[in-house]
Amino acid sequence: MFDLRSTNVLVTGGSKGIGRGIAAVFATAGANVAIAARSAADVDAAVADLDALGTGTVLGVKADVADPVHCASLAATVDEAFGGIDVVCANAGIFPEAPLATMTPAQLSEVLDVNVKGTVFIVQACLDSLIASGRGRVILTSSITGPITGYPGWSHYGASKAAQLGFMRTAAIELAPHAITVNAILPGNIFTEGLAGMGEEYIAGMTRAIPAGVLGKPDDIGHLAAFLATVEAGYITGQAIAVDGGQVLPESPDAVRP
Ligand code: NAP
């Protein structure tokens, strides 16, 4: 059961944070793992670390998911290197703060281009490979922000993360005849490089709001991604699953450790 050896996985945004955690779990399980991000230096550093974890091949590719040409080239590179792609983790995402009153069209476009179009572009680019796999898996990194919760300053981000779920539901129907599943993970507050940039006050406030009392780790997301990638999870599709230490559950702050 749960054998991921000989499984070929692509993780976008795999050089840091949640994507790197997802890549690490797959690499440890013996999968062949390709990671992609815009910074070649970060990709190279992550590949060196991931290489030590498992028995599979680790590959790094510099790519911007907001560019469909990059996505096509990325998918072709990974398919050729591994002899196919079984799993695509569309994880690359950005979350710059922009209050609604002052948000510019450029700020809105940047978030939608990476988080929404980037998701669609990479899935499209990998589609032939996923169909050829016969057991393709698409795993989206969405968020609790947008699909379930809101936070001032991130309305554009919340819209982008909810949009991923709209995409997921129709993609799941379209791809089901090819035995491809499409699911989304909704992380709560996971301690990553990106989240660290939000500052100590934000992190302390978030930690207080989480019934589990701690922020999540990138591996917490990786373990669900690995399960969704297994043959055994093949009957699960079109689902959005929160991994958040219970963060969305309290009716008020008083409900957390009263
Ligand atoms: P992070 O630490 O900032 O890492 C983001 C990763 O994505 C990096 O590898 C980054 O590398 C890559 N990336 C960003 N834009 C890209 C682009 N246009 N093309 C290719 N790669 C790109 O962020 P994170 O916290 O791990 O977040 C990862 C995902 O989880 C995002 O989709 C985010 O919305 C979601 N999420 C995070 C949290 C959290 O608490 N951390 C919660 C909910 C959801 P480059 O900058 O070099 O490209």
Side-chain angles (χ1 to χ4, degrees), residues 79-154:
D79 189 284
E80 192 178 332
F82 291 166
I85 302 172
D86 304 300
V87 181
V88 178
C89 298
N91 165 83
I94 55 172
F95 36 94
E97 182 178 7
L100 189 52
T102 55
M103 187 194 303
T104 64
Q107 286 175 312
L108 175 60
S109 293
E110 185 191 17
V111 165
L112 297 180
D113 283 352
V114 177
N115 296 2
V116 183
K117 291 187 191 174
T119 295
V120 179
F121 290 152
I122 195 59
V123 174
Q124 281 185 311
C126 293
L127 208 46
D128 288 347
S129 304
L130 293 170
I131 292 169
S133 159
R135 44 145 304 188
R137 299 281 185 271
V138 175
I139 300 164
L140 311 179
T141 307
S142 174
S143 178
I144 58 169
T145 310
I148 304 176
T149 63
Y151 199 90
W154 278 271

Side-chain angles (χ1 to χ4, degrees), residues 13 15-18 37-39 63-65 91-95 114 141-143 157 161 187-190 192-195:
S15 65
K16 287 194 227 161
I18 288 174
R38 294 166 301 179
S39 161
D64 182 347
V65 297
N91 165 83
I94 55 172
F95 36 94
V114 177
T141 307
S142 174
S143 178
Y157 174 76
K161 292 286 139 176
N189 278 263
I190 309 299
T192 64
E193 290 90 332
L195 197 84

Side-chain angles (χ1 to χ4, degrees), residues 4-5 7 9 11 20-35 46-47 49-58 226:
L4 288 167
R5 288 169 299 175
T7 302
V9 183
V11 184
R20 187 161 164 166
I22 293 171
V25 170
F26 277 112
T28 303
N32 298 318
V33 180
I35 60 167
V47 167
D49 288 348
L50 293 166
D51 236 347
L53 296 178
T55 51
T57 304
V58 178

